Structures are given as C-alpha cells and as structure tokens.
C-alpha cells in the first residue's frame, strides 16, 4: 500500500489551511480566529511524532475568545517541507520568528509541547522582541533538562533510553513506521494517563498520528530533532547553543505538567524556574505527558488566563 500523501493531514474543521514561506521553507499552518489586524496571535507548536492536529481543542477555544490561533506543522512534519537539515535549535527558533513576521505580527504568545516547547524556549531567548509570553506542556528549559538528566537518576532513567535509541541510523525510522506506525501508539500509551487511553477519542487520535508518521520523510525528520539535541552536546554548536540559552526570561511563562507524566518529571520542570523566575507551574491531575489532549478544558482555561490582557 502506498504511504499517505502529506495533504492527508489537512482535515476539515472550523479552521483554514494555509501555506506560509518563512526561513527559506514552506510551512503548513492551520488557523482559526479573528481576522482583525489587532487580534493577538497565539502560535501552537506540537511535539515528537505529532503534527498540528494535536492542538485542535486549543485552536477553537482561543479563537472563541478573539485570538488569532495558529497551529504549525513544524519543519519536517505533516504537510510542511522536509529539508535534509535545519533541525538545530538556532534554525528552529528562526523558523518561528520568520512565521510570526510572515503573518504580519511583531509579537506572539508561543505554546509548545515537548520538542515544540523547546522551540518556544529557544525563540523566546534568541528572538526576544517577538515573544510576548510562552506556555509549555511538559517541556523543561533545555539547560534544566540537561542538568536533570546528568544529576537526577530518575529523570535519566525515564528519558535517556528512548533518546539514545534514536541515535543510530535508519533503524529508528523503520521502527517508527513499521506495522502502520504502531510504535507511535505504543509510545503515546506508555506516556499517557490511564483515563485517556480509555477515552473514545483515543482511537481516532491514534489512527491519525500513526498515519502522519508514515508520510514520506517524516520519521527521519522527527528523529533529526532528537539526534541534534543529543549529538550537539559533544560539539561546539551545542555548547554555543546551551551558553546562549543560559539566561533569565522576564516574560510571563506558564508550565503545565501532568501529575502522572512518566517521561518528564515534576522536579525537572521545577528546575526551569532558574531560567524563568516568573514561571507559574500548574499541575494537571490525573493526566500524563499529553495534558492538552487528556485535559483540554483545564489546559484551555490556563492558556486563556495567560494571554488575557493584564490591568494595572
């Protein structure tokens, strides 16, 4: 059977699909919300082995409150371009900075899960003038995550085996795509709370995630994020990136963390406070690594509180 075409991720719904060129490549974005030029922009960035549809509940909730909500297929994912390189922190931050400008904005709130959250941190530091605030779902500051892996044996045990397994060539790609993407479902089940895997929506989500990873080139690009993050730690570019990230953010930072998340531990999230003194950590009870799927109403309420105008 032929692999799925990239256009198969363009699901119908209360949104529009657009293509935007930024930082030298084409991005597929999905947009809901106000068309007024002064409508605040919120950009949503998915995580590992995922795509824009991860944010369907947040897109509609933000749009209903007057925000221009945009979910992005990151470089290498979904129906965005899949170039052979550019999966380093510098380039990924440049992608989002370019997207914000290409949409005609001078600033945005960024929301990210896992790898998408790391892109939020990087963009907020490297392109500070463009980022109004950030919200993370189980995505510690990259320096905090590195420190946790080095010094916390529980976090090291939770994260390092799968991270290291991504580093060999070709075999991880085949592992992700074989049996119609069953490995993606296994990983999500392993990292989710038990109530979510029993939710009637779970099977629909898994069907779409398993299909999306089989789009030609996607599995390889997905793994390139992990490969750069690991291998760069032993190279000058990784040292420069970590040094550039080792500074304090003064913008509003919200961190949502499922209390059953077995992959990113609560103590690791707390370490991020050193790099974001304003960070507010909210624990989402009864959910795992995918709080935005597992408890969308709770996550939506927290995001709307973050982006709401402040009065003084």
């Amino acid at each position: 059977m032929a692999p799925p075409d990239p256009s198969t991720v363009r699901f119908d719904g209360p949104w529009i699909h657009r293509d935007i060129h930024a930082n030298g490549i084409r991005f597929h974005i999905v947009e809901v919300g106000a068309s007024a030029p002064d409508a605040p922009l919120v950009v949503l960035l998915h995580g590992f082995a995922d795509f824009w549809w991860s944010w369907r509940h947040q897109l509609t909730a933000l749009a209903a409150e007057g925000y221009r909500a945009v979910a992005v297929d990151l470089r290498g994912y979904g129906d965005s371009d899949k170039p052979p390189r550019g999966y380093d922190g510098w380039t990924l931050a440049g992608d989002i900075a370019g997207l914000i400008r290409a949409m005609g904005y001078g600033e945005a709130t960024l929301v990210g899960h896992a790898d998408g959250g790391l892109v939020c941190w990087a963009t907020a530091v490297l392109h500070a003038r463009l980022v109004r605030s950030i919200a993370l779902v189980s995505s510690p500051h990259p320096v905090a995550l590195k420190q946790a892996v080095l010094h916390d044996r529980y976090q090291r045990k939770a994260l390092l085996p799968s991270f290291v397994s991504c580093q060999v060539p070709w075999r991880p790609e085949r592992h992700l795509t074989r049996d119609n993407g069953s490995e993606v479902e296994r990983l999500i089940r392993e990292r989710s709370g038990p109530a979510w895997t029993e939710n009637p929506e779970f099977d629909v989500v898994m069907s779409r995630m398993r299909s999306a990873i089989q789009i030609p080139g996607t599995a390889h690009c997905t793994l390139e994020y992990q490969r750069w993050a690991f291998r760069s730690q032993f190279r000058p570019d990784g040292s420069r990136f970590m040094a550039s990230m080792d500074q304090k953010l003064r913008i509003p930072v919200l961190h949502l963390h499922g209390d059953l998340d077995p992959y990113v531990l609560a103590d690791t999230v707390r370490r991020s406070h050193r790099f974001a003194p304003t960070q507010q950590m909210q624990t989402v009870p009864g959910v795992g690594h995918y709080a935005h799927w597992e408890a969308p109403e709770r996550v939506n309420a927290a995001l709307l509180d973050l982006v709401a105008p402040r009065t003084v």
Side-chain angles (χ1 to χ4, degrees):
M1 190 171 79
D5 186 83
S7 64
T8 56
V9 302
R10 296 187 177 234
F11 303 118
D12 292 335
W15 40 64
I16 60 171
H17 296 269
R18 296 179 60 197
D19 295 299
I20 292 185
H21 286 81
N23 207 22
I25 66 170
R26 177 191 59 82
F27 291 91
H28 168 233
I29 71 164
V30 178
E31 179 178 351
V32 187
S35 57
D38 58 347
L41 177 64
V42 182
V43 180
L44 303 133
L45 309 174
H46 62 79
F48 175 81
D50 202 343
F51 67 110
W52 74 267
W53 196 67
S54 182
W55 299 108
R56 61 201 175 281
H57 297 301
Q58 289 70 45
L59 280 169
T60 53
L62 288 162
E65 296 299 322
Y67 297 93
R68 185 177 179 187
V70 173
V72 181
D73 278 341
L74 291 173
R75 171 185 292 252
Y77 281 97
D79 200 12
S80 289
D81 281 350
K82 298 168 179 61
R85 52 187 65 87
Y87 301 93
D88 58 278
W90 308 96
T91 304
L92 295 169
D95 288 348
I96 304 309
L99 278 169
I100 293 169
R101 294 190 184 100
M103 287 185 281
Y105 280 80
E107 65 173 10
T109 290
L110 305 182
V111 182
H113 170 241
D115 289 357
L118 295 178
V119 179
C120 291
W121 287 112
T123 310
V125 170
L126 300 175
H127 303 275
R129 293 184 179 181
L130 293 174
V131 182
R132 182 171 60 249
S133 56
I134 61 173
L136 301 314
V137 179
S138 289
S139 187
H141 187 282
V143 180
L145 182 60
K146 179 179 179 179
Q147 292 172 343
V149 170
L150 290 174
H151 302 295
D152 182 339
R153 63 189 177 98
Y154 297 106
Q155 182 61 80
R156 186 162 57 248
K157 182 179 178 181
L159 183 142
L160 208 55
S162 64
F163 202 59
V164 172
S165 72
C166 295
Q167 304 307 315
V168 299
W170 302 119
R171 186 171 67 183
E173 283 87 340
R174 292 195 293 268
H175 194 51
L176 276 178
T177 55
R178 73 183 181 190
D179 190 23
N180 294 319
S182 63
E183 176 63 8
V184 171
E185 179 170 345
R186 187 194 70 78
L187 289 171
I188 292 172
R189 283 185 179 275
E190 185 178 86
R191 298 171 185 175
S192 297
W196 167 236
T197 60
E198 299 299 322
N199 189 303
E201 191 181 25
F202 182 80
D203 288 341
V204 176
V205 174
M206 290 306 96
S207 175
R208 294 189 171 185
M209 295 296 157
R210 290 175 64 165
S211 176
I213 199 65
Q214 296 176 73
I215 293 170
T218 298
H220 176 70
C221 296
T222 292
L223 292 160
E224 287 296 280
Y225 285 75
Q226 309 288 305
R227 287 166 176 157
W228 181 84
F230 181 77
R231 296 172 188 178
S232 68
Q233 302 306 311
F234 310 100
R235 301 195 306 248
D237 60 324
S239 297
R240 288 195 300 271
F241 179 73
M242 285 298 185
S244 71
M245 295 299 295
D246 193 0
Q247 58 180 282
K248 289 181 171 64
L249 286 180
R250 300 298 180 182
I251 60 174
V253 176
L254 169 68
H255 212 136
L256 298 161
H257 182 260
D259 67 347
L260 302 180
D261 188 344
Y263 189 62
V264 174
L265 307 184
D267 284 346
T268 303
V269 173
R270 293 188 188 99
R271 286 176 181 263
S272 298
H273 185 77
R274 173 189 154 193
F275 306 97
T278 63
Q279 174 177 282
Q280 296 183 23
M281 179 177 170
Q282 292 190 24
T283 300
V284 186
V287 307
H289 188 57
Y290 305 91
H292 54 312
W293 298 353
E294 301 177 58
E297 292 183 0
R298 175 73 178 266
V299 170
N300 294 349
L303 293 179
L304 288 168
D305 185 61
L306 173 71
V307 299
R310 297 292 190 263
T311 58
V312 290

